[in-house]
Amino acid sequence: MIPANRLPAQPVRWQQLWREAVTDPRELLALLGLADRAGELLPAADTGFALRVPRGFVARMRHGDPADPLLRQVLPLAAELGEVPGFTRDAVGDLAARSGNGVLHKYGGRALLIATGSCAVHCRYCFRRHFPYTQETAAANRWSEALGHLRGDRSIGEVIVSGGDPLSLSTAKLAELGDALASIPHVRRLRIHTRLPIVLPERVDDEFRHWLAALPLQRVVVLHANHPAEFDAAVDAACAGLRDAGASLLNQAVLLRGVNDDADVLAGLSERAFAAGVLPYYLHQLDRVAGAAHFEVADEHALALVDALRRRLPGYLVPRLVREIAGEPSKTPL
């Protein structure tokens, strides 16, 4: 018998890492050696949008740097409290696109399910930071109302699962959806929009990979990374696991002032994502959601950045610069 102290260490389950996430802004600053800057950096009032960030993601931040691009994405700031004309609570017209409990139907041929309001990280620029998740969750009642909508519309060939983050649900809950989708003849493809393989890569565990590999649909996983420093060996392993399960991997980033509004950073992001087997897909201009105006980058600068990328990268590494406009039948290229 092998002595207990010599048994191989078991990996920490992702649910435990989720529960251990940092939720106190002052603790976050203390972990980064910035405790003495709390009075200067943190807002004086509640922003109405709580902090949440996994400790593994915190470990990728630069110690002692209040301008670290990963920290800037999650740290509440006083700038969120100001009202800015043109920045609204429903920036992309989600509420007008509802077609059933938790179903958004904006574009031809595909429907989006709001699987959950939960997410492992609260990005300060989130376009759904004001979304009424308690009233609009497709996973309610074993997905019944959402599935009824999908079965009744034969034009829907692709189902997009979003949130929140759908990978915050248990694999068993996702399997309920996968089994039901596989029984709908006109649904051919499942697309999962998730940030968890980036911020909590342990979520891509054996159970999840086995479920994804067995799913009798085409699988597309759209990740969300904004900066090359978001990738590390654990993220690479998660991406490899997703690819081994038969998923095509894409990345969509948001152009954010002070985070990635720089040609070198964006080129590095494309290169680093592709090294992990992830193809750059979209570079979104900021959705003008209330509380996020301080992240906005002017269109002229955005276009200049993409032009610089075209001159230094092969075409397949240049993401499409787009904006989502409420009511339009697709993303709008810039």
Side-chain angles (χ1 to χ4, degrees):
M1 179 180 295
I2 301 174
N5 62 357
R6 295 182 60 188
L7 290 172
Q10 296 300 307
V12 178
R13 293 180 61 82
W14 68 272
Q15 295 95 333
Q16 178 180 339
L17 297 173
W18 178 293
R19 290 191 295 268
E20 293 173 352
V22 179
T23 57
D24 182 343
R26 292 182 180 274
E27 181 189 2
L28 175 59
L29 292 178
L31 289 170
L32 296 170
L34 295 167
D36 60 342
R37 305 284 298 274
E40 166 195 346
L41 294 172
L42 298 179
D46 183 6
T47 65
F49 189 45
L51 170 77
R52 171 173 282 275
V53 56
R55 293 176 188 272
F57 194 71
V58 176
R60 297 173 227 166
M61 299 175 184
R62 290 194 297 260
H63 194 81
D65 183 2
D68 175 79
L70 277 59
L71 175 62
R72 184 169 170 78
Q73 293 180 59
V74 301
L75 185 69
L77 298 175
E80 298 177 39
L81 298 171
E83 292 189 14
V84 179
F87 284 77
T88 66
R89 294 175 65 87
D90 184 19
V92 297
D94 277 348
L95 299 182
R98 290 176 294 181
S99 299
N101 189 29
V103 181
L104 305 183
H105 204 163
K106 294 183 179 183
Y107 306 140
R110 52 214 186 271
L112 184 146
L113 306 186
I114 300 292
T116 174
S118 296
C119 193
V121 65
H122 290 176
C123 302
R124 310 312 300 178
Y125 51 87
C126 179
F127 67 96
R128 290 198 180 113
R129 59 184 286 171
H130 306 291
F131 190 82
Y133 287 109
T134 54
Q135 293 86 37
E136 296 288 334
T137 303
N141 300 315
R142 300 176 67 92
W143 310 90
S144 57
E145 188 173 340
L147 289 167
H149 176 80
L150 298 177
R151 290 191 183 99
D153 189 338
R154 298 184 61 83
S155 74
I156 298 172
E158 177 177 82
V159 174
I160 303 165
V161 189
S162 184
D165 196 304
L167 295 198
S168 66
L169 297 175
S170 69
T171 300
K173 190 69 175 177
L174 292 171
E176 287 181 359
L177 175 63
D179 290 346
L181 293 179
S183 72
I184 302 175
H186 53 270
V187 173
R188 305 180 304 277
R189 198 163 48 243
L190 174 65
R191 192 196 323 172
I192 300 173
H193 284 198
T194 177
R195 189 144 161 76
L196 260 71
I198 301 294
V199 303
L200 191 66
E202 294 82 1
R203 175 62 184 94
V204 185
D205 58 12
D206 289 345
E207 182 187 18
F208 179 80
R209 290 194 301 270
H210 292 157
W211 165 72
L212 191 64
L215 194 64
L217 297 167
Q218 288 183 300
R219 287 87 75 201
V220 180
V221 177
V222 181
L223 302 175
H224 175 189
N226 297 313
H227 193 279
E230 296 180 38
F231 287 85
D232 64 5
V235 175
D236 290 342
C239 292
L242 292 168
R243 294 198 314 277
D244 290 346
S248 299
L249 302 187
L250 306 173
N251 185 61
Q252 56 181 355
V254 180
L255 187 58
L256 301 166
R257 187 180 355 148
V259 173
N260 59 10
D261 55 335
D262 175 272
D264 289 337
V265 171
L266 290 174
L269 174 60
S270 285
E271 294 278 13
R272 186 63 183 85
F274 193 65
V278 184
L279 192 67
Y281 173 38
Y282 278 149
L283 177 62
H284 288 268
Q285 267 291 49
L286 182 74
D287 295 319
R288 305 189 89 203
V289 64
H294 55 293
F295 286 113
E296 189 169 42
V297 176
D299 283 355
E300 294 79 6
H301 185 47
L303 290 165
L305 289 171
V306 173
D307 184 61
L309 294 182
R310 290 195 186 100
R311 285 186 272 110
R312 64 193 290 179
L313 294 175
Y316 59 86
L317 291 186
V318 180
R320 285 170 284 176
L321 179 66
V322 297
R323 170 178 284 117
E324 183 166 358
I325 300 174
E328 290 298 309
S330 67
K331 302 290 192 299
T332 300
L334 299 181

